[in-house]
Amino acid sequence: MTTDASAPWLIVGLGNPGPEYAANRHNVGFMVADLLAERIGGSFKRAQKAQAQVIEGRIGAPGPANRRVVLAKPGSFMNLSGGPVTALRDFYKVPTANVVAVHDELDLDYGALRVKLGGGDNGHNGLKSMTKAMGAEYHRVRFGIGRPPGRMQVADFVLKDFSSAERKELAYFVDRAADAVEALVTEGLERAQTAYNS
């Protein structure tokens, strides 16, 4: 994959808007986006051209690896993420290969990470909406949340807050996911995979 070094990156944390969803497993993408925003030193503002909150900034040390980024949290519900993400991609002139979706992943153990380009949606409604809107050739940083216990339905599980045991390690795992996003943007896919795919 070749990307234009001068083109910006669009980093999208997937989640549901509203305080009642803020601590849900499904909102871990928003948590990672919030941490990246802290690192950039900005605060989210309503986007002019899309239903989303955005911050523009730079990631990486000064020099060739320094990248212009747009951080975004869609303002739509998860299953409608494709519309706002595509509008932002088009407005900021971001190649689809420079779009990164940060999202929860049922098929990975809690806290495990996978960085990848393209692929299926694995039943994730946010990815399904994004892929329908712009194709599958965007990057993903998949944050493991594990499978629901017992007979709990997936929809109930992802819309519950992390357990008290999980919360003890959550800040560490969110920090690691933010590191993985930065590595992907500044060092490329292979290096990020080598360092963070667990």
Side-chain angles (χ1 to χ4, degrees), residues 30 66-68 70 72 75 90 96 99 102-104 119 123 138 140 146 165 170 198:
F30 275 16
N66 190 261
R67 297 284 181 264
R68 191 157 60 95
V70 180
D90 294 348
T96 300
V99 176
V102 185
H103 64 92
D104 57 305
Y138 55 90
R140 301 102 193 273
L170 183 59
S198 48

Side-chain angles (χ1 to χ4, degrees), residues 41-196:
S43 53
F44 283 99
K45 295 177 175 55
R46 187 177 296 282
Q48 297 292 318
K49 302 291 181 184
Q51 187 185 359
Q53 299 281 321
V54 296
I55 296 175
E56 294 178 62
R58 300 192 83 86
I59 284 177
N66 190 261
R67 297 284 181 264
R68 191 157 60 95
V69 297
V70 180
L71 283 177
K73 297 193 293 186
S76 62
F77 281 95
M78 178 72 86
N79 59 350
L80 299 172
S81 301
V85 175
T86 305
L88 291 170
R89 180 200 64 174
D90 294 348
F91 179 70
Y92 287 103
K93 298 180 172 54
V94 177
T96 300
N98 280 23
V99 176
V100 183
V102 185
H103 64 92
D104 57 305
E105 177 58 63
L106 289 159
D107 285 342
L108 293 175
D109 291 339
Y110 174 58
L113 291 176
R114 290 281 190 288
V115 184
K116 63 180 288 198
L117 172 64
D121 57 58
N122 221 16
H124 192 288
N125 288 329
L127 297 182
K128 200 174 287 185
S129 177
M130 283 180 61
T131 297
K132 186 176 177 187
M134 62 184 193
E137 289 305 299
Y138 55 90
H139 286 87
R140 301 102 193 273
V141 174
R142 303 162 68 203
F143 185 112
I145 60 168
R147 281 263 160 202
R151 296 176 176 274
M152 186 187 290
Q153 294 294 311
V154 164
D156 295 332
F157 178 69
V158 299
L159 294 176
K160 281 199 173 351
D161 291 358
F162 286 99
S163 69
S164 55
E166 288 169 334
R167 283 199 295 273
K168 289 175 183 167
E169 294 185 290
L170 183 59
Y172 168 76
F173 288 138
V174 167
D175 191 68
R176 196 161 177 273
D179 289 347
V181 171
E182 290 190 352
L184 170 62
V185 169
T186 60
E187 299 175 41
L189 178 61
E190 283 185 23
R191 284 196 178 183
Q193 287 176 324
T194 301
Y196 294 98

